[in-house]
Amino acid sequence: MIRLYRAGGATCEIHTPRPGESLGPDVIWLDLVAPTRDEELGLEAALNLSIPTREEMQELEASSRVYRDDGTIYATADLIHNGDADIPAIDPVTFILTGGPLITIRYFNPRPFATLDAKLAKEPALCDAGPALFLHLMEAVIDRNSDVLSKTVTRVEAISNHVFAEGRTVGFEKLITKLGRAQIANARLEQSLAGLLRVFAFVNLDGQLAHDADRREHLRSLSADAQSLITHNQAIAANINFQLSAALGLINIEQSSIIKIFSVAAVAFMPPTLIASIYGMNFDHMPELHWMGGYPTAVAAMVVAAILPLLWFKKKGWL
């Protein structure tokens, strides 16, 4: 599907182009949503440029992500979607700056596109030109990444409160799973922000926006915002790693405590077991077997033999 944006009216006109419809100078944005091959070929013929396929968009090398071809800038960045989930998804979006209309190619529906549509409906004056729409779209993307990062921060803080809660009865398996999910979200967010920062740097160096001081300043502001989010995201990653280490340390402490209890119990019952074993031999020449006070004396000896090691451990601070 192709969504076509036209400027010049009271509102920013958005519609799906009809077959054979010409692309006049008032077209400022062509948004390709899961385009078919026929739609790609038709647009290539109409604009005399190459449209990257989905497989080409997924390539990771820098030369395939940001490049210039015959005066047109091609920039691909990974955008977050389904950001409210514990593990947000991430997929590539290609932005083509032609000097005329902005072209975007995507195979999913990230929230910044809907956010920009709503913004254009409220402020038709923003429906100006392709480069301006590119900057407004990038601003919506940065804002969305900031929201996702805030949600990750909230989840990590909640996990921290559980890990270090006093008198806790915490299921550490669940906590480690939550920390793992937070780490994945953190890594995907950094991947998106790093890609955006690379796009901003390339567009800035290319100079297509250099002739307009306001747009150039807007681009610098977006780059600074992306860099600040990366710095914050890295701090959250360090916090996640610390909490994971702390959780694993607490698990080891609990396991050591359990083993210590069994060890102390085994040592405490060894002397009584020895006494019971001796008097369970039933040899003929054991006078205590025929003594009226033999049984209570043996029982008392076993109790004392169990208590003395416990008192010794307590005195040494092992309990």
Side-chain angles (χ1 to χ4, degrees), residues 90-153:
I90 185 169
D91 282 293
V93 176
T94 295
F95 306 90
I96 305 177
L97 299 175
T98 65
L102 167 68
I103 302 173
T104 55
I105 309 167
R106 55 193 175 98
Y107 292 85
F108 61 104
N109 295 306
R111 187 173 297 182
F113 283 78
T115 301
L116 183 57
D117 281 348
K119 191 173 183 179
L120 292 175
K122 294 179 181 178
E123 303 178 59
L126 297 178
C127 197
D128 180 19
L133 280 179
F134 169 75
L135 294 175
H136 291 306
L137 181 56
M138 290 296 99
E139 184 176 352
V141 169
I142 292 293
D143 288 343
R144 180 56 179 162
N145 282 1
S146 178
D147 293 340
V148 174
L149 179 57
S150 297
K151 289 181 173 64
T152 301
V153 170

Side-chain angles (χ1 to χ4, degrees), residues 17-219:
R18 296 178 297 276
E21 180 179 349
S22 62
L23 302 178
D26 58 342
V27 175
I28 60 171
W29 184 9
L30 291 164
D31 183 24
L32 281 65
V33 185
T36 64
R37 188 55 186 160
D38 289 339
E39 289 175 334
E40 291 176 349
L41 293 174
L43 194 58
E44 286 180 348
L47 297 176
N48 193 28
L49 52 78
S50 175
I51 301 295
T53 64
R54 187 172 191 176
E55 291 73 20
E56 292 171 337
M57 291 170 59
Q58 293 173 338
E59 294 179 0
L60 298 178
E61 60 269 23
S63 60
S64 298
R65 288 254 156 171
V66 286
Y67 60 94
R68 185 181 179 92
D69 182 21
D70 195 22
T72 298
I73 297 175
Y74 292 79
T76 300
D78 294 317
L79 300 192
I80 295 289
H81 59 106
N82 195 24
D84 295 328
D86 286 348
I87 302 180
I90 185 169
D91 282 293
V93 176
T94 295
F95 306 90
I96 305 177
L97 299 175
T98 65
L102 167 68
I103 302 173
T104 55
I105 309 167
R106 55 193 175 98
Y107 292 85
F108 61 104
N109 295 306
R111 187 173 297 182
F113 283 78
T115 301
L116 183 57
D117 281 348
K119 191 173 183 179
L120 292 175
K122 294 179 181 178
E123 303 178 59
L126 297 178
C127 197
D128 180 19
L133 280 179
F134 169 75
L135 294 175
H136 291 306
L137 181 56
M138 290 296 99
E139 184 176 352
V141 169
I142 292 293
D143 288 343
R144 180 56 179 162
N145 282 1
S146 178
D147 293 340
V148 174
L149 179 57
S150 297
K151 289 181 173 64
T152 301
V153 170
T154 301
R155 285 196 292 267
V156 172
E157 289 179 349
I159 296 170
S160 177
N161 292 335
H162 281 82
V163 170
F164 299 106
E166 294 183 3
R168 67 192 182 286
T169 54
V170 179
F172 281 106
E173 288 187 11
K174 292 183 178 180
L175 284 180
I176 291 176
T177 300
K178 290 180 179 179
L179 285 171
R181 291 173 179 269
Q183 178 62 31
I184 295 173
N186 180 274
R188 289 183 176 178
L189 192 57
E190 182 156 357
Q191 177 183 342
S192 175
L193 290 168
L196 291 171
L197 203 58
R198 180 170 53 189
V199 169
F200 296 154
F202 185 83
V203 172
N204 185 54
L205 290 174
D206 183 84
Q208 192 176 111
L209 303 179
H211 65 281
D212 190 305
D214 290 338
R215 291 175 183 173
R216 188 170 62 249
E217 183 59 32
H218 195 175
L219 185 61

